[in-house]
Amino acid sequence: MRVKKVFRKDYLTLLESVLFLDFLKGLSVTLKNLLRKPITTQYPKEKLTPPKRFRGAHGHFVWDGTEPPSLKAIEKFMSYEKAKSRCVACYMCQTACPMPTLFRIEAVQTPDGKKKVTRFEMNLLNCLFCGLCVDACPVGCLTMTDIYELASYSRRDEVFSVEQLEERGKDYKARRGDEPERIWPNDEERKRLWGEIKWSG
Amino acid sequence: MERELIESLLFTVLKVLVVVPVALGVGAYLTWFERKLAGHIQNRMGPTVVGPFGLLQPLADALKLATKESVIPRGADRPVYYLAILLALVPSVLLLALIPWGPAFELGGRVIKPIISDVNVALLLAFAFGSLSVYGTIFSGWASNSKYAFIGSMRKAAVVIAYEVVLGFSVLGVVLLAGTLSTVGIVQAQIERGVWFILYQPVAFVLYMFCMLAESGRVPFDVQEAEAELVTGYNVEYGGMKFGAFPLAEWYLNVIALSAIAVVLFFGGWSGPSILGPLSPYFWFLVKTFGLVFFTMWLHWTLPRFQAKDITDVAWKILLPVAIANVVVTAVVKYFF
Amino acid sequence: MRWLSEEKARRVEKRFGEAVAYYRTEHTAGLKVKKEQLKELLRYLKEREGFKQFVDLTCLDYPERKERFEAVYLLYDPDENERVVVKSSTDGTLPTVTDLWPGAKWAEREAYDMFGVTFEGHENLRRMFLWEGYEHHPLRKDFPLGGYKEVELPSLTELLHGRTDPPSHDFELAHTRLPTLEDLERTEKARLKKKAELVLNWGPLHPGTHGTIWFLFDLEGEKVVQCDVILGQLHRGMEKIAENLHYFQFLPYTDRMDYLSAVCNELAYVETVERLLGVEVPEKARYIRTLFAELQRINSHLLWLGTGALDLGALTVFLYAFREREKIMDILEGNAGYRLTTCFLRIGGVHYDLAEGTLEAVKQFIKTFPESLKEYHALLTRNRIWLRRTKGVGVITKEDVYAYGLTGPVARASGVPYDLRKLQPYAAYDEVEFDVPVGEVGDVYDRYLVRMEEMRQSLRIVEQCVSKLEKLPKDAPYVNKEHPAVMPPREDVYNALEDMVKTFRLVVHGEPAPEGEVYFAGENPRGELGFFVFSKGDGKPYRLRIRSGALYNLSIFPKLIEGRTIADAIALLGSLDPVVGETDR
């Protein structure tokens, strides 16, 4: 084990203390920064695009022909409509969720023996935004979008119905569905903080 | 005789009417300047939203402060509570009366001095006003019925007691050189010799800077505020415009006035090359003053804060002996040469 | 790091005879002792066998047993790098060990608070986190998970909107009783001994306390005569929550303990569970974990630097520190999806592979960060005011470190090279090179220097991780999905039936953990964060004890501040660097 004593010089030399060299050093740093460009993103006016993996408000992907094989396999057991939520009411998201009260999911059996999801509500007031529900979803329905402005004036506005979730899922897929899993979209706002990065490839 | 008195009174009132609103306005706009400066030092932008470059921000702030609800803490000593605001503001404004903004000039056969009151004990008065302003802090701390405010004001009292003494001694060197206590006289002495007193008295200038920061409660001496310990200390129980008055008086008016006095004492007042014709003395005076104000703010956003007991420690054990030595050396040199 | 050696155990057994029994499990080893001999054994271990550092003390509840509580002491021998568990059963009383290790003071109060076990001889046995007058002991197994409802307060927003119908989801309406102004005055009167003193309430909400801690300072002038710390404003009952969740479900909660170093918390937790389950972690995942844990350490130290400087009046350093923090947060956000509570690690690996462009961004950070470090040094390190505020303040001796169970930079600044990354290497720490910075004096200035140096060392580790990760093939596994207790990545679930079934099983039944106990600690920016998991073989832990570094580091604060001013208090508190999320849990 390599142990390293820290370099400690806890007094000022006479020259330093008479000529205020310590203050001057500090002043030079602040002056240098004064002449630099600010790094601020002017939030409501300018907004950073969240990265692809960002865990924002939830959404539902819909039946649009890009279903994963796991959902195709049970398609015939489900009563669903095109362009509606892919949810199959397997309750996996609810089971994986650390908060038992977050989800409200209900399903019924239609007369022809198929399963129909009648209710899917999420109370985002209880949400940790940990993403365990998305991981648990076996049919590629539940997702987390890049929407992060979720404030509202009433608690019950934070309970989202399946229609709202579908809307968000569709919107998210249209905007960012094909994006590669990059660390962040290379926009001007990030450059202010980061400067020019040499991206490989 | 009577006519002269009335005339001089009239002129004085006129001068006051010019200086005070301008000073208050400039004080308010210094908040904008300081926020912008702090912002850019910290790689931020400062105010940008209200008006171009956020220039209307002080007005917006004033409007906000003026329309705030007035809350007075339970158990507050009401008369003293209000008196504190007055006592904080008035001495800072009074200090402005002693500052010679430019040389005397003739207008319509009458000699006009651009100074509100040219008394021969101006410096003495200046330090008296400076000491008075501490009452604002102490009263506010006492009357607020809050422990934080109380501790803050006690700290300030200790600091001011220590630094008043150092301030007096640090200025004595300049007074000895100029042979007068009048502010106009000191400037003239420098112009006559063709040299600024900072060259003769660099130590005194450093001491004066320390005292100026301590009196106006700026970093590194802002122990009475110390927002991390005392949640802005002595004015924590004031709200709205009442709250706004304290920083305006302490951080801005006081700093302007003390910087102006520093310019008078060490930087030759209004002296400077004549580049703007008759206006150049005023220009130079303001440039020097704002140079010092800028330096104060720059220090404010660079340094950490002393501890109250360290401040008094430094004052009594280091600054005061140095100041006295400075006075003695100056006197001896002056006597023999 | 070893556990109690056979040879030592025999020696102890010989001395104590029947009363002490040696036991060994796969991950731990220790001694079971009768309550009557407990104190004597602990004293013997401390004085004769060298177990002088106090690590932790907790209890377990077995309602079906006659002596329902089991006290668990955890000690450490710094010379031989050895740990020992001491267990003793009791029906409700135990002797205090605060005379042996003053650091046990708060741990005993916590055990009293949570289990109702009384410690005879404790000087101030009050509730640690819950409020005075509360009747229940929440970590007992018979305490209902939802708690006992107290006062119902109507939801303000609902009232504003004029809605009276019951809400569609059950919003939490029950609140606990709040202390009133009269309560405060009563405490104040009770504390004052002299007329000239005053009690300063510092907190629970105060800019200097770095969270919701409540300090009571009895002041004489500006000098602190006595100080009490009241914790619990952020107590969320993490340990109780953990008992009712599967192992993977507790992961997001660990983020919320020390929310400034989420990845480090996750790393400590995940490594603990992996040891219990016997999961091997692929090489790439180990390096990604190390990379992010060290970035997070820099991030956390930067926040300490910023707030510490802010407390001492240097406002600009705060913003400069946040500028660099922003970059690290960007890297974390791009990979994990969240900036603060990342939830990035998984049992058996990491959630995702590195996002495209991560290594370039990290390299850019490595390039620019030393410049910023220089700026911080120029602004603070040799500044006379900074020196005056930090030098000689709050000196912690080596004995204090052992007696109070101090860990992390606080211990190292006092010259104790206690760094778990070296002592019990985990993740990829044994494959990277770095130094352990230590101080000599143990004052605030030394703690400052040690943390500043640690940032430099962390940057070194990050650099090595980057060059290693660049060499690893792009398709190298980042999660050990073969293991039965590890959740497969999402793509596999969509495409393979057996993976889907495995996910179903894990989500519904939890990880198939064997019976046993395991203690593992990670080196967090705020000291040793340990997880003591007792498993009975379900998908949930029977008891999960969280040993918080910040809590123990804070416990020395009242001792250090006595006789100093409140301006020192702020410098001292900043240097101990507690995070309330972790002290309260």
Side-chain angles (χ1 to χ4, degrees):
Chain A
M1 184 157 97
R2 278 187 60 190
V3 174
K4 183 182 169 192
K5 277 238 158 80
V6 289
F7 175 72
R8 178 177 168 123
K9 192 177 168 202
D10 56 2
Y11 54 90
L12 292 181
T13 57
L14 190 69
L15 196 70
E16 273 177 312
S17 62
V18 171
L19 293 181
F20 289 90
L21 289 182
D22 52 338
F23 284 13
L24 291 179
K25 232 161 78 183
L27 286 172
S28 73
V29 170
T30 39
L31 186 67
K32 215 164 59 199
N33 277 288
L34 178 63
L35 303 174
R36 264 189 213 160
K37 265 196 176 156
I39 54 165
T40 320
T41 309
Q42 302 268 46
Y43 165 58
K45 272 192 257 162
E46 311 163 353
K47 284 175 188 173
L48 292 177
T49 321
K52 177 77 195 289
R53 288 177 180 174
F54 186 76
R55 300 201 302 266
H58 296 73
H60 271 193
F61 285 139
V62 294
W63 290 86
D64 54 3
T66 59
E67 295 82 31
S70 55
L71 182 53
K72 290 227 175 81
I74 53 170
E75 188 180 346
K76 52 181 177 291
F77 304 116
M78 297 300 302
S79 156
Y80 68 93
E81 290 166 54
K82 276 274 170 226
K84 288 279 175 207
S85 164
R86 288 179 191 172
C87 181
V88 296
C90 64
Y91 299 96
M92 272 303 114
C93 44
Q94 188 172 22
T95 321
C97 182
M99 288 297 292
T101 55
L102 201 151
F103 289 91
R104 280 284 165 85
I105 306 169
E106 280 163 25
V108 290
Q109 204 168 28
T110 53
D112 54 349
K114 289 183 175 179
K115 192 177 182 185
K116 186 172 172 53
V117 184
T118 53
R119 186 178 189 185
F120 189 102
E121 282 178 10
M122 292 184 74
N123 177 8
L124 287 196
L125 287 175
N126 287 353
C127 188
L128 291 165
F129 292 92
C130 61
L132 289 181
C133 51
V134 178
D135 280 0
C137 184
V139 294
C141 168
L142 196 62
T143 184
M144 287 174 109
T145 65
D146 60 352
I147 291 161
Y148 53 86
E149 287 158 324
L150 291 167
S152 66
Y153 285 103
S154 169
R155 290 183 187 211
R156 69 190 68 207
D157 294 344
E158 296 297 324
V159 180
F160 291 102
S161 66
V162 70
E163 285 79 24
Q164 285 165 298
L165 294 169
E166 281 164 1
E167 207 48 52
R168 273 214 205 108
K170 270 190 249 174
D171 165 63
Y172 180 64
K173 191 152 198 175
R175 279 188 296 120
R176 313 198 50 176
D178 306 325
E179 215 177 283
E181 292 227 334
R182 256 189 93 72
I183 180 162
W184 58 70
N186 200 16
D187 49 17
E188 282 305 308
E189 276 83 33
R190 303 248 183 204
K191 271 188 199 147
R192 241 180 255 164
L193 172 67
W194 279 90
E196 211 58 62
I197 303 178
K198 273 195 225 94
W199 303 103
S200 65
Chain B
M1 176 67 204
E2 227 169 60
R3 216 186 121 207
E4 242 173 66
L5 189 70
I6 291 173
E7 251 178 34
S8 85
L9 262 179
L10 201 70
F11 269 106
T12 310
V13 168
L14 265 177
K15 283 183 210 162
V16 168
L17 283 183
V18 172
V19 170
V20 170
V22 168
L24 285 175
V26 169
Y29 261 86
L30 274 186
T31 60
W32 172 84
F33 178 69
E34 171 146 39
R35 287 169 69 175
K36 219 48 184 172
L37 179 74
H40 282 275
I41 278 181
Q42 296 166 348
N43 298 332
R44 299 185 285 116
M45 323 255 303
T48 54
V49 177
V50 195
F53 305 107
L55 267 171
L56 299 178
Q57 190 67 45
L59 299 181
D61 283 346
L63 200 67
K64 182 195 77 178
L65 288 174
T67 50
K68 281 217 166 173
E69 186 191 353
S70 162
V71 182
I72 295 175
R74 194 170 73 167
D77 191 343
R78 273 171 181 257
V80 182
Y81 182 83
Y82 284 110
L83 191 64
I85 307 166
L86 220 63
L87 275 176
L89 264 178
V90 169
S92 315
V93 178
L94 279 181
L95 269 179
L96 296 169
L98 305 166
I99 294 157
W101 303 98
F105 58 90
E106 271 190 46
L107 193 74
R110 187 181 295 282
V111 177
I112 296 175
K113 290 182 182 167
I115 172 172
I116 294 173
S117 88
D118 179 17
V119 286
N120 54 3
V121 288
L123 276 186
L124 219 55
L125 263 181
F127 301 140
F129 292 146
S131 321
L132 265 184
S133 68
V134 75
Y135 283 102
T137 316
I138 291 180
F139 281 10
S140 64
W142 178 257
S144 301
N145 188 27
S146 155
K147 290 166 191 166
Y148 286 109
F150 180 63
I151 293 173
S153 65
M154 286 298 124
R155 285 177 173 188
K156 174 81 178 179
V159 169
V160 168
I161 288 169
Y163 279 81
E164 274 305 312
V165 181
V166 181
L167 185 63
F169 275 104
S170 73
V171 170
L172 264 189
V174 174
V175 174
L176 279 173
L177 285 178
T180 172
L181 279 170
S182 146
T183 43
V184 179
I186 291 171
V187 174
Q188 265 156 2
Q190 292 179 63
I191 293 174
E192 274 160 27
R193 290 180 202 209
V195 74
W196 293 352
F197 281 155
I198 187 170
L199 290 179
Y200 292 147
Q201 296 281 336
V203 179
F205 173 66
V206 172
L207 293 173
Y208 183 89
M209 278 308 285
F210 267 93
C211 300
M212 173 174 144
L213 296 174
E215 293 252 317
S216 54
R218 282 268 177 183
V219 168
F221 299 107
D222 61 338
V223 276
Q224 82 281 23
E225 317 238 340
E227 63 280 337
E229 299 150 30
L230 298 182
V231 238
T232 69
Y234 68 99
N235 58 17
V236 68
E237 298 293 351
Y238 285 78
M241 210 56 203
K242 295 203 287 295
F243 162 74
F246 283 103
L248 180 70
E250 269 223 319
W251 278 22
Y252 299 108
L253 289 180
N254 230 342
V255 168
I256 295 176
L258 288 171
S259 300
I261 291 174
V263 169
V264 168
L265 290 174
F266 299 104
F267 292 97
W270 60 77
S271 70
S274 168
I275 50 167
L276 292 174
L279 285 180
S280 64
Y282 302 96
F283 170 73
W284 285 115
F285 195 91
L286 291 179
V287 164
K288 288 172 192 170
T289 309
F290 280 96
L292 272 181
V293 172
F294 171 78
F295 184 66
T296 313
M297 289 182 181
W298 185 13
L299 272 179
H300 187 116
W301 296 102
T302 303
L303 297 179
R305 170 189 315 128
F306 270 118
Q307 203 187 128
K309 69 168 199 256
D310 283 348
I311 295 183
T312 43
D313 212 50
V314 168
W316 294 114
K317 289 189 188 154
I318 301 172
L319 298 184
L320 189 61
V322 171
I324 292 175
N326 184 48
V327 171
V328 170
V329 171
T330 311
V332 168
V333 170
K334 170 110 179 145
Y335 184 77
F336 286 109
F337 297 98
Chain C
M1 186 163 292
R2 289 177 300 143
W3 288 88
L4 180 69
S5 64
E6 192 88 26
E7 164 205 354
K8 267 190 191 177
R10 296 290 159 244
R11 215 158 48 216
V12 176
E13 273 186 329
K14 213 165 140 194
R15 195 189 144 100
F16 285 88
E18 283 286 281
V20 174
Y22 172 63
Y23 81 95
R24 189 165 200 96
T25 68
E26 199 184 332
H27 308 287
T28 58
L31 303 158
K32 281 184 182 157
V33 63
K34 290 219 174 77
K35 192 176 110 186
E36 292 71 35
Q37 262 76 34
L38 173 67
K39 188 76 176 278
E40 205 180 321
L41 173 71
L42 290 172
R43 191 186 301 273
Y44 172 79
L45 286 175
K46 182 192 173 194
E47 282 162 9
R48 297 293 178 75
E49 297 291 351
F51 289 101
K52 56 185 171 187
Q53 181 159 357
F54 182 76
V55 180
D56 201 11
L57 147 63
T58 188
C59 282
L60 272 82
D61 181 22
Y62 298 99
E64 70 282 359
R65 291 191 193 166
K66 194 166 151 272
E67 294 190 313
R68 69 182 278 185
F69 301 111
E70 188 171 59
V72 180
Y73 295 79
L74 201 59
L75 308 174
Y76 174 69
D77 179 352
D79 300 323
E80 305 207 14
N81 192 20
E82 216 173 80
R83 276 196 192 121
V84 64
V85 185
V86 177
K87 285 184 176 177
S88 179
S89 289
T90 171
D91 51 358
T93 55
L94 281 169
T96 179
V97 294
T98 46
D99 45 344
L100 295 174
W101 294 284
K105 204 166 53 184
W106 285 5
E108 287 184 356
R109 275 177 63 185
E110 191 183 342
Y112 164 71
D113 192 359
M114 295 298 156
F115 291 94
V117 178
T118 49
F119 289 86
E120 289 159 350
H122 192 287
E123 53 171 39
N124 182 24
L125 197 64
R126 285 161 194 261
R127 287 195 169 258
M128 186 74 214
F129 295 131
L130 301 171
W131 54 102
E132 285 297 315
Y134 190 64
E135 291 158 15
H136 315 286
H137 299 285
L139 275 182
R140 287 188 178 181
K141 287 284 172 189
D142 45 19
F143 184 84
L145 187 57
Y148 298 101
K149 299 270 184 224
E150 268 209 77
V151 188
E152 290 248 332
L153 294 177
S155 152
L156 263 183
T157 47
E158 298 291 316
L159 283 183
L160 274 179
H161 285 251
R163 284 160 163 170
T164 48
D165 49 326
S168 58
H169 273 61
D170 41 340
F171 307 118
E172 191 57 72
L173 293 178
H175 293 244
T176 51
R177 265 180 214 94
L178 299 167
T180 60
L181 220 54
E182 283 67 41
D183 289 337
L184 277 179
E185 274 167 17
R186 213 171 313 129
T187 19
E188 212 163 277
K189 285 223 176 80
R191 292 176 66 88
L192 290 179
K193 289 180 207 87
K194 269 196 269 174
K195 197 149 189 247
E197 286 181 4
L198 63 92
V199 180
L200 192 69
N201 274 298
W202 224 47
L205 292 171
H206 185 285
T209 56
H210 297 213
T212 51
I213 317 178
W214 183 358
F215 294 91
L216 283 173
F217 290 129
D218 295 2
L219 293 179
E220 196 177 340
E222 252 198 71
K223 219 173 68 193
V224 178
V225 183
Q226 196 198 333
C227 162
D228 270 325
V229 187
I230 301 173
L231 288 175
Q233 278 84 10
L234 208 62
H235 178 70
R236 292 150 294 180
M238 291 275 184
E239 293 173 8
K240 186 78 177 175
I241 291 173
E243 285 172 17
N244 295 285
L245 291 177
H246 299 315
Y247 289 98
F248 76 93
Q249 283 178 315
F250 188 62
L251 193 73
Y253 285 92
T254 59
D255 289 341
R256 283 152 180 86
M257 289 179 346
D258 178 357
Y259 38 79
L260 301 174
S261 42
V263 176
C264 299
N265 296 347
E266 285 167 28
L267 183 54
Y269 175 71
V270 161
E271 292 267 344
T272 316
V273 177
E274 276 160 7
R275 272 168 179 68
L276 181 71
L277 298 170
V279 182
E280 286 280 314
V281 185
E283 190 180 23
K284 189 173 193 180
R286 283 193 292 123
Y287 273 93
I288 294 177
R289 284 174 176 192
T290 315
L291 171 71
F292 280 99
E294 289 309 308
L295 280 175
Q296 187 84 75
R297 188 181 311 277
I298 297 176
N299 193 352
S300 167
H301 280 354
L302 278 175
L303 192 110
W304 151 81
L305 174 72
T307 52
L310 181 72
D311 288 347
L312 299 191
L315 291 127
T316 302
V317 180
F318 179 72
L319 271 292
Y320 290 169
F322 265 64
R323 182 184 63 202
E324 299 310 309
R325 259 173 71 81
E326 191 65 26
K327 292 183 185 171
I328 300 178
M329 303 263 243
D330 271 359
I331 297 171
L332 287 174
E333 187 189 17
N335 278 284
Y338 239 56
R339 296 160 64 82
L340 207 62
T341 49
T342 51
C343 197
F344 182 53
L345 308 189
R346 288 288 184 274
I347 294 161
V350 289
H351 191 192
Y352 300 106
D353 201 350
L354 287 178
E356 209 180 296
T358 307
L359 294 179
E360 282 88 6
V362 177
K363 269 194 264 177
Q364 175 86 356
F365 176 75
I366 294 172
K367 217 162 60 192
T368 53
F369 187 63
E371 193 58 38
S372 313
L373 259 183
K374 244 185 244 160
E375 281 185 358
Y376 309 140
H377 276 300
L379 280 167
L380 297 176
T381 309
R382 307 267 292 124
N383 188 304
R384 66 187 72 192
I385 304 172
W386 186 258
L387 282 171
R388 258 184 185 270
R389 291 299 301 272
T390 55
K391 212 170 82 182
V393 177
V395 178
I396 297 174
T397 61
K398 277 190 181 183
E399 283 66 45
D400 283 340
V401 170
Y402 299 135
Y404 281 87
L406 308 183
T407 47
V410 179
R412 289 195 283 276
S414 302
V416 180
Y418 185 73
D419 190 328
L420 292 163
R421 291 175 294 177
K422 292 277 190 194
L423 294 173
Q424 46 145 43
Y426 56 102
Y429 284 118
D430 47 348
E431 292 157 46
V432 291
E433 243 181 64
F434 64 99
D435 302 334
V436 179
V438 295
E440 290 169 85
V441 187
D443 57 358
V444 174
Y445 191 56
D446 258 354
R447 291 196 273 283
Y448 163 78
L449 290 174
V450 162
R451 287 205 178 92
M452 292 300 270
E453 182 59 33
E454 262 180 31
M455 281 199 255
R456 199 188 301 270
Q457 297 300 336
S458 291
L459 201 68
R460 257 176 85 190
I461 302 177
V462 168
E463 236 174 318
Q464 293 170 48
C465 287
V466 168
S467 60
K468 176 78 185 181
L469 282 168
E470 270 179 334
K471 275 184 228 131
L472 285 175
K474 270 231 147 78
D475 53 353
Y478 58 90
V479 62
N480 177 10
K481 61 183 180 189
E482 267 71 50
H483 194 277
V486 177
M487 241 187 250
R490 214 184 302 160
E491 292 304 314
D492 296 4
V493 175
Y494 296 158
N495 295 315
L497 186 64
E498 55 271 30
D499 280 336
M500 183 149 90
V501 172
K502 186 170 151 193
T503 308
F504 270 46
R505 204 189 61 236
L506 283 173
V507 168
V508 176
H509 301 294
E511 286 83 350
E515 203 167 326
E517 63 181 46
V518 53
Y519 178 81
F520 179 81
E523 179 64 34
N524 257 36
R526 285 174 184 74
E528 172 176 349
L529 177 73
F531 290 91
F532 209 152
V533 180
F534 298 88
S535 164
K536 273 194 162 181
D538 315 324
K540 298 169 182 174
Y542 182 74
R543 165 120 169 82
L544 185 136
R545 162 70 181 170
I546 303 160
R547 190 261 181 218
S548 146
L551 179 77
Y552 283 96
N553 287 356
L554 184 64
S555 72
I556 198 173
F557 181 82
K559 181 192 167 210
L560 292 180
I561 198 55
E562 255 168 51
R564 304 201 73 102
T565 59
I566 44 172
D568 281 339
I570 195 120
L572 184 55
L573 187 67
S575 80
L576 294 176
D577 194 21
V579 159
V580 187
E582 194 184 304
T583 57
D584 289 5
R585 280 157 283 142

